[in-house]
């Protein structure tokens, strides 16, 4: 990687004008922050009112998902060179909690107001800054460039929607020095926005955290006391509000033709249990709450799951599974969970939250995608018997082809450390 070039005078003028307007917008926002519940936690750090610890490498991880990636990077870097000091910043209390549990030094990222960012970077004094996935903070980027601190986006992704937003600002935001994008499409979008940045394609880091141990054996499954091994069971996992009517329609029609099949419904949010109970009664679909179960689930039953943390165990005992958040435009929920239990999941047309997994899962017939409730019903009716161990083996083979992102990122970071030693 080449030494960083300072901003040209033309770009400096454009950035300065844009940042002046941008910073003016922060004044009313900063006055309201003490009254916003989500950001009251860690407000002193967000306002740079207390000193920040020094670090050689600063990693910005927006929330929980990015926090797990930050842990991967931090642990690997410190394993190679324990003397390197790493600080991870985040926006959310949940992200902070994940990082602290992993014994990673962490702080809340300050608001992107110039005086706060200046103080933050002066305190931390990083040799390198890393931003995970897609976070573009104009003042932060500008100050890193101004202070000659290499800024790298790792595991970069940019959706079409995000691209159109940043397209307007492409001439006003300081470019990162390098972007390691997770696909050709993402790389092209980044390259268009940041034409002065070095853009490379890397394997997605998220695959590094997927290490399934295999389907849970029946004898070790904590739900074996309520689900028999020969029960015909369909799981509807992580169902969202806007798709629940469609799911209940599917259950009712499937049940009419296959009265001995049992169903479990897992709402994405447990505060919707009462609403789902009301809907089930309106559709004359008798049900039992999971919390009321004392004996094994009977054939033909509908179980409304009102207990947290048991979805993966139910996938391990099901014959068929639909993963929600995908029949309505919510972006989809985690369909890798049922695959980890050797069951081929069905999802709807909306899966933008998991497009990083890649289209290969459909081409390899590991996941089935349907357009609507009619197709879902047909797909469930036509699904044949499957071999759980074969599906799991096929899934793990697929995962092996997707690994390598961590080593790619570490090698790139090391190439920068050789130029900017800590």
């Amino acid at each position: 990687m080449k030494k960083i070039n300072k901003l040209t005078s033309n770009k400096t003028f454009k950035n300065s004008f844009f940042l002046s307007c941008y910073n003016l917008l922060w004044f009313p926002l900063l006055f309201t922050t003490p009254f916003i519940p989500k950001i009251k936690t860690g407000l002193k750090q967000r306002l740079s009112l207390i000193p920040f610890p020094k670090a050689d490498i600063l990693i910005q991880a927006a929330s929980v998902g990015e926090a797990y990636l930050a842990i991967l990077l931090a642990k690997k870097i410190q394993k190679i060179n324990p003397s390197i000091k790493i600080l991870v910043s985040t926006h959310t209390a949940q992200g902070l909690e994940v990082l602290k549990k992993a014994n990673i030094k962490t702080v809340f990222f300050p608001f992107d107001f110039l005086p706060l960012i200046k103080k933050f970077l002066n305190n931390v004094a990083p040799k390198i800054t890393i931003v995970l996935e897609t976070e573009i903070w104009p003042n932060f980027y500008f100050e890193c460039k101004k202070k000659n601190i290499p800024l790298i986006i790792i595991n970069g992704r940019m959706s079409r929607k995000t691209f159109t937003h940043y397209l307007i600002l492409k001439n006003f935001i300081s470019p990162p020095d390098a972007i390691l994008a997770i696909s050709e499409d993402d790389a092209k979008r980044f390259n268009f926005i940041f034409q002065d940045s070095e853009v490379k394609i890397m394997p997605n880091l998220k695959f590094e955290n997927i290490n399934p141990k295999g389907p849970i054996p029946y004898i070790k499954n904590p739900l074996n006391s309520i689900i028999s091994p020969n029960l015909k069971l369909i799981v509807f996992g992580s169902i969202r509000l806007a798709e629940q009517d469609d799911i209940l329609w599917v259950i009712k029609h499937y049940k009419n033709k296959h009265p001995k099949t049992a169903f479990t419904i897992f709402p994405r949010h447990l505060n919707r249990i009462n609403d789902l109970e009301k809907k089930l009664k309106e559709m004359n679909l008798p049900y039992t709450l999971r919390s009321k179960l004392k004996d094994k689930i009977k054939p033909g039953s509908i179980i409304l799951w009102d207990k947290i943390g048991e979805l993966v165990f139910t996938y391990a005992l099901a014959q068929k599974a639909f993963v929600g958040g995908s029949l309505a435009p919510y972006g989809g929920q985690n369909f890798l969970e049922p695959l980890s239990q050797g069951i081929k999941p069905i999802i709807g047309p909306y899966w933008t939250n998991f497009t990083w997994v890649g289209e290969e899962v459909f081409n390899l017939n590991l996941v089935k995608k349907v357009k609507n409730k009619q197709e879902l019903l047909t797909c469930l009716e036509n699904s044949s018997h499957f071999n759980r161990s074969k599906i799991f083996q096929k899934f793990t083979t697929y995962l092996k082809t997707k690994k390598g992102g961590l080593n790619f990122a570490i090698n790139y970071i090391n190439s920068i450390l050789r130029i900017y030693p800590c």
Side-chain angles (χ1 to χ4, degrees):
M1 181 178 173
K2 296 179 181 178
K3 282 274 188 180
I4 299 170
N5 294 317
K6 291 192 176 182
L7 290 168
T8 64
S9 58
N10 185 38
K11 280 205 168 184
T12 302
F13 173 76
K14 283 184 177 180
N15 280 22
S16 298
F17 177 74
F18 166 74
L19 290 176
S20 296
C21 299
Y22 174 69
N23 281 300
L24 284 173
L25 294 174
W26 271 103
F27 279 102
L29 293 172
L30 290 171
F31 282 112
T32 60
T33 52
F35 307 102
I36 302 172
K38 282 188 177 181
I39 56 178
K40 281 176 74 174
T41 306
L43 192 58
K44 286 185 178 180
Q45 286 186 338
R46 298 182 199 272
L47 292 171
S48 295
L49 294 176
I50 54 177
F52 294 96
K54 290 198 177 296
D56 300 308
I57 299 176
L58 171 65
I59 303 174
Q60 165 55 10
S63 190
V64 173
E66 293 83 1
Y68 285 115
L69 303 186
I71 291 166
L72 274 176
L73 284 174
K75 296 282 189 186
K76 186 75 171 180
I77 292 168
Q78 290 184 321
K79 186 177 180 181
I80 296 169
N81 190 341
S83 65
I84 291 179
K85 295 177 182 177
I86 297 174
L87 178 68
V88 181
S89 57
T90 184
H91 293 302
T92 67
Q94 295 88 344
L96 195 82
E97 186 179 350
V98 166
L99 290 159
K100 282 186 173 179
K101 281 183 180 178
N103 294 318
I104 302 292
K105 190 175 285 187
T106 182
V107 296
F108 282 108
F109 188 80
F111 298 120
D112 194 46
F113 180 55
L114 192 56
L116 308 186
I117 290 297
K118 279 185 176 181
K119 187 176 179 181
F120 177 57
L121 287 173
N122 286 339
N123 278 188
V124 179
K127 304 294 189 299
I128 302 170
T129 57
I130 294 169
V131 174
L132 289 169
E133 302 218 331
T134 310
E135 272 198 274
I136 300 174
W137 294 104
N139 281 317
F140 182 67
Y141 278 40
F142 180 77
E143 277 301 301
C144 283
K145 183 69 70 176
K146 187 178 174 183
K147 292 177 182 296
N148 243 23
I149 303 169
L151 190 152
I152 315 147
I153 294 177
I154 290 181
N155 224 56
R157 59 187 180 90
M158 183 174 286
S159 66
R160 290 179 184 177
K161 186 178 179 181
T162 306
F163 174 70
T164 56
H165 291 163
Y166 287 128
L167 194 59
I168 304 166
L169 303 173
K170 69 175 225 157
N171 292 319
F172 303 101
I173 300 174
S174 303
D177 298 284
I179 300 159
L180 309 186
I182 59 173
S183 74
E184 282 190 26
D185 286 341
D186 291 295
K188 285 176 183 175
R189 291 176 190 132
F190 274 114
N191 211 18
F192 195 86
I193 300 292
F194 299 117
Q195 295 177 5
D196 295 333
S197 301
E198 181 179 26
V199 180
K200 291 179 176 288
I201 298 172
M202 66 173 286
N204 197 319
L205 271 178
K206 287 184 177 179
F207 284 105
E208 303 293 326
N209 274 329
I210 305 171
N211 298 296
K213 296 178 181 178
I216 301 164
Y218 181 78
I219 195 169
K220 293 183 179 180
N221 195 311
L223 299 183
N224 60 19
S225 61
I226 58 171
I227 301 176
S228 61
N230 57 353
L231 179 70
K232 292 178 181 178
L233 177 65
I234 299 178
V235 175
F236 292 90
S238 302
I239 302 305
R240 303 294 293 268
L241 177 63
E243 62 191 354
Q244 68 183 20
D245 287 352
D246 287 345
I247 296 305
L248 296 183
W249 180 92
V250 169
I251 290 173
K252 186 166 188 174
H253 283 74
Y254 193 98
K255 187 175 173 64
N256 287 338
K257 290 185 180 179
H258 309 275
K260 292 187 177 181
T261 298
F263 308 88
T264 60
I265 305 170
F266 287 77
R268 179 72 180 94
H269 302 107
L270 285 187
N271 59 4
R272 285 190 21 251
I273 286 289
N274 291 340
D275 182 56
L276 266 166
E277 287 189 87
K278 184 181 176 182
K279 290 284 184 182
L280 285 161
K281 288 172 183 175
E282 286 174 1
M283 295 181 72
N284 294 316
L285 289 169
Y287 68 93
T288 304
L289 289 172
R290 158 68 179 99
S291 58
K292 303 291 184 183
L293 281 177
K294 294 180 181 178
D295 300 313
K296 278 190 164 52
I297 296 171
K298 295 178 181 178
S301 300
I302 297 173
I303 310 301
L304 183 53
W305 224 269
D306 59 345
K307 193 172 179 180
I308 294 173
E310 294 184 335
L311 179 56
V312 69
F313 301 123
T314 315
Y315 283 142
L317 296 169
Q319 280 71 52
K320 301 173 186 180
F322 171 80
V323 181
S326 59
L327 268 186
Y330 288 109
Q333 298 300 140
N334 189 359
F335 55 79
L336 298 180
E337 270 192 336
L339 273 173
S340 73
Q341 297 307 310
I343 186 168
K344 193 184 300 182
I346 304 169
I347 67 169
Y350 304 101
W351 59 295
T352 52
N353 293 343
F354 287 86
T355 49
W356 57 268
V357 174
E359 290 281 348
E360 297 99 315
V361 290
F362 306 110
N363 299 333
L364 292 169
N365 198 27
L366 282 168
V367 181
K368 179 68 179 175
K369 185 165 51 175
V370 297
K371 294 178 182 176
N372 49 46
K373 64 181 182 181
Q374 289 85 2
E375 280 196 15
L376 174 56
L377 177 61
T378 302
C379 187
L380 287 170
E381 289 178 334
N382 293 339
S383 297
S384 56
H385 179 73
F386 65 92
N387 185 306
R388 200 178 286 273
S389 60
K390 282 186 178 180
I391 290 174
F392 176 74
Q393 185 58 50
K394 196 174 179 181
F395 176 48
T396 52
T397 301
Y398 165 75
L399 286 178
K400 286 176 185 176
T401 67
K402 295 293 185 178
K403 301 276 186 178
L406 182 58
N407 286 336
F408 188 100
I410 294 298
N411 288 337
Y412 196 86
I413 293 167
N414 283 338
S415 71
I416 298 169
L417 288 174
R418 284 193 286 272
I419 301 172
Y420 300 88
C422 295

